[in-house]
Amino acid sequence: MKSYQKLTTTQPAACRVEEEGAAPLPTTGRGKLAPWWVGSGLLVVAVLLSTITVWVLRQVSGGWLGPTPPPKCLLVPESHRFDCYPERRVVVTQELCESRGCCFIQTPPPAQGKRGVPWCFYPPDFPSYTLESLNQTALGMVGVLVRREKAYYPRDIEKLRLDVEFETDTRLHIKITDAANPRYEVPLDVPRVMKRAENPIYSLNFSWDPFGVLLQRKATGAVLLNTTVAPLIFADQFLQISTSLPSKFLYGLGEHRGSFLHSLDWNTLTLWARDVSPTESFNLYGAHPFYLLMEEGGDAHGVFLLNSNAMEVALQPAPGLTWRTIGGVLDFYIFLGPNPNMVIQQYQQVIGFPAMPPLWALGFHLCRWGYGSSNETWQTVRAMRNYQIPQDAQWNDIDYMDGYRDFTLDSQKFASLPSLVQDLHKHGQRYVMILDPGISSTSPHGSYWPFDEGLRRGLFLNTTQGQPLIGQVWPGFTAFADFSNPDTHQWWLENLQHFHAHVPFDGLWIDMNEPSNFMDGSEDGCPPGDFDSPPYTPAVLGDSLSAKTVCASAKQKASVHYNLHNLYGLMEAKATASALIQIRGKRPFVISRSTFPSQGRYSGHWLGDNRSQWKDMYYSIPGLLSFSLFGIPLVGADICGFSGSTSEELCTRWMQLGAFYPFARNHNTQNEKAQDPTAFSPAARTAMKDVLLTRYSLLPFLYTLFHRAHLQGDTVARPLFFEFPWDVATWELDRQFLWGRSLLVTPVLEPGVDSVTGYVPQGMWYDFYTGSSVNSSGEMLKMSAPLEHLNLHIREGSVLPTQKPGTTTEVTRGNPLRLIVALSSHATAWGDLFWDDGESLDTFEQGHYSYVVFNVTQNVFTSTVLHASTEATKVTIGTLSIFGVQKPPSKVLLNGQEKPFSYLDNQVLTVSDLGISLSQGFSLQWL
């Protein structure tokens, strides 16, 4: 049996792929292989330290550590011990551990809530798969893996197929599955390449016995993947593969609450969609098996495991990572960047780029559970208008329904809802309502069409006995729509059409779609069997796959719920977006709680049922940034907090932050005091109104960012290190963020302060409001932040298209534009603007848009129209503000004609009353 190891350069040629330029892998001389974690004398040090540590612990423990472990076990440093007994709720004994053929060394118990160093871990010679054959194909290679000794989970698969495709120069596809029998695979449309990459920036090697993948970046030699660190296990319901990591800077793997940068201190992240208020260490609403990792020197790569089964990812300080999933196949995409922006673009080339939202989706949204009536809802809308506070959409939670049943209206309390919606439309505003996937099953036959018709057509999740699975949600006993069935999409559309004829809603909020169930499983529990009681259950909240959801054994059209659970929200979003397109003939607006990769194509996301606490406000920023990585840019948290009671200070600060969520909605639970802007003192209300007006002024810039996201997968809300990957100080920042590449947002996240300390990356930055400059060497700066002020800074070299704000996006889009130029130290700048009618489908694809590029060089500002549409003739450019003009100009020329201007001591040049149509190119020169 061979050890888990790196290749030597003397391995057979068939295993050395795209090797040119790769750094040599370590050997121990004369062709011997070094254990993966050994090099430069580490072996001696590791053995010595491990032996001394165990000896000392034995002395102080009075022998409780048991007999001395075999030398091969002592060779493995603590940080490199890969868990052989990950089961929770089991006290791992030496007998249990050694029955699996693993090493057992007790270590002191970790701090409460931590996993700590595993006591039971793989020895260097634990049996794994052998690479029996490897043959070239048109796109890469195909191989056969064989396991000769069974592992310890039932139904081990002895022969596996390895498929490798060099899809692009920056994308590698590696898939491992059963060689003999088909297995469930995620029904996601992924690109099919026609030819092999010609000049990949990666080199790929294999270890034959034991099988392992070694992936390196050619330019630096960095080892991005090394799966020889622990055995590959591939049983029917337990698939596990581990890898070393080139650094500890790892992000993604959602949905969880925590810092943006994950801790690698024995941290296990579980992916299984679950309805629970966001809480640290819990598996939350969505599942995103994708990580981004920053490498030394500023390069980045990403790894996506296309698998929808219950899963956990174990992180350890080696640094190392273990994927564990309980079904499907191991289908990996690796994205080589080399910078983080490019990694995320490459990821979205596989899962799909996000949809272009309607412009009104980027306005301010207002909601609460507990308005109580349509008249009370209407009063809030009128109060917002009375104070001239921007608002684009009014929402209702489940209280609009009759008995909390979908597609119904409370005819007493919400009788005036159709009139309210009509009034919203008259004022250029929109209406959004909530829907749940649980369909009430208790109404008398013939009285509730959604259930009767769904039952007749067979559109609900079924038990193993073939009857609709009945759980409990808001209306009481419910059946659950099976969105994996195309016929369900048609039924969903028909229900929405019926309701839209009465209440002409504009967007839909799909909640409870993990799916959530107030029971565990069903009214009858769940049957015995391997779906509901699998051989291994990942570390899910509730310790059961059916905890607060439906039985994993439930039958769906496409597969069993065990496989499809994490896809439920995605499939509902797809059906909902499609229905909205057919009903309204315009871009759909859908916000979903449960999400999965590719969901950005159909919906946005809000971060769930947060609390009115300062820490929740902070945690929203890592949430925003994580969903930027996941290709769902239309994301935000409930501003001011959903549950609990907010304070005026907290809500003011949160409205300032929330005005810069890509999706900005203030939402509140029932039985709490109102927290819309009109509910506060004049000072707080004015601060909230001002920051919303700032948001609305930036809508042309924000809309253009969404266009770039839709077109090529750029992020909207962006971590600082995406723009400054060489600056290690930015890698851990998650209390600030950027819009695009050029607008830095530094919110106040704690009470009782009138200043905030934020990191300002190297270069010139300009105060958004005044144009005054800050020249930073890359440092933490203290900024004044009275309660009415949010710090915003524009990056040098940028042009931001802004607009005079109105109280709706409809009013705003007719107002004159103001272009803000932030000159670089070389007196250059660049920006762009995407403009269309704000709501029609596929405007870019059909050419119904305008695209304008702004450039500054040598004291000349140029606006160049690269593509024009009639929409651009309806708006004018009114003002040009140029920040960083070093000395007062003597004159300003607009298309060669002299123009009046103003110049301030803080080096801001302003030219007003331009009156130029956006559809016309122009130049402006200052001398």
Side-chain angles (χ1 to χ4, degrees), residues 727-799:
D727 183 353
V728 180
T730 64
W731 292 10
E732 296 188 45
L733 298 178
D734 60 6
R735 299 173 72 86
Q736 299 165 272
F737 57 96
L738 293 160
W739 265 12
R741 62 175 296 276
S742 49
L743 187 65
L744 176 63
V745 183
T746 307
V748 172
L749 301 173
E750 53 193 32
V753 299
D754 59 7
S755 66
V756 62
T757 301
Y759 188 77
V760 180
Q762 184 175 8
M764 188 78 75
W765 295 82
Y766 297 91
D767 183 290
F768 170 80
Y769 309 98
T770 67
S772 296
S773 62
V774 177
N775 196 359
S776 174
S777 60
E779 55 198 310
M780 299 296 292
L781 294 177
K782 186 176 180 180
M783 310 171 196
S784 176
L787 188 58
E788 69 277 5
H789 184 70
L790 171 69
N791 277 278
L792 298 174
H793 289 88
I794 307 176
R795 184 181 179 184
E796 64 170 303
S798 307
V799 179

Side-chain angles (χ1 to χ4, degrees), residues 360 385 391-393 421-431 506 696 807-811:
W360 66 266
R385 289 180 194 154
Q391 183 190 1
D392 258 79
V421 174
Q422 186 179 19
D423 178 67
L424 288 168
H425 291 166
K426 190 173 75 175
H427 287 84
Q429 295 171 301
R430 306 299 196 281
Y431 180 71
D506 301 286
Y696 273 61
T807 52
T808 64
T809 54
E810 192 170 290
V811 171

Side-chain angles (χ1 to χ4, degrees), residues 368 371 376 380 645-646 651 666 668-669 671-680:
R368 78 164 299 167
Y371 279 122
E376 191 178 331
T380 303
S645 189
T646 194
C651 199
N666 179 317
N668 192 5
T669 191
N671 303 320
E672 294 288 352
K673 62 185 181 183
Q675 63 184 36
D676 63 86
T678 70
F680 296 100

Side-chain angles (χ1 to χ4, degrees), residues 35 37-56 58 68-81 105 121 124:
W37 38 266
V38 176
S40 308
L42 269 180
L43 174 59
V44 178
V45 175
V47 176
L48 197 57
L49 286 175
S50 293
T51 306
I52 291 170
T53 301
V54 171
W55 182 85
V56 169
R58 280 174 204 293
T68 304
K72 67 179 181 182
C73 298
L74 293 172
L75 285 176
V76 185
E78 286 188 356
S79 64
H80 298 70
R81 293 177 184 173
I105 300 178
F121 58 95

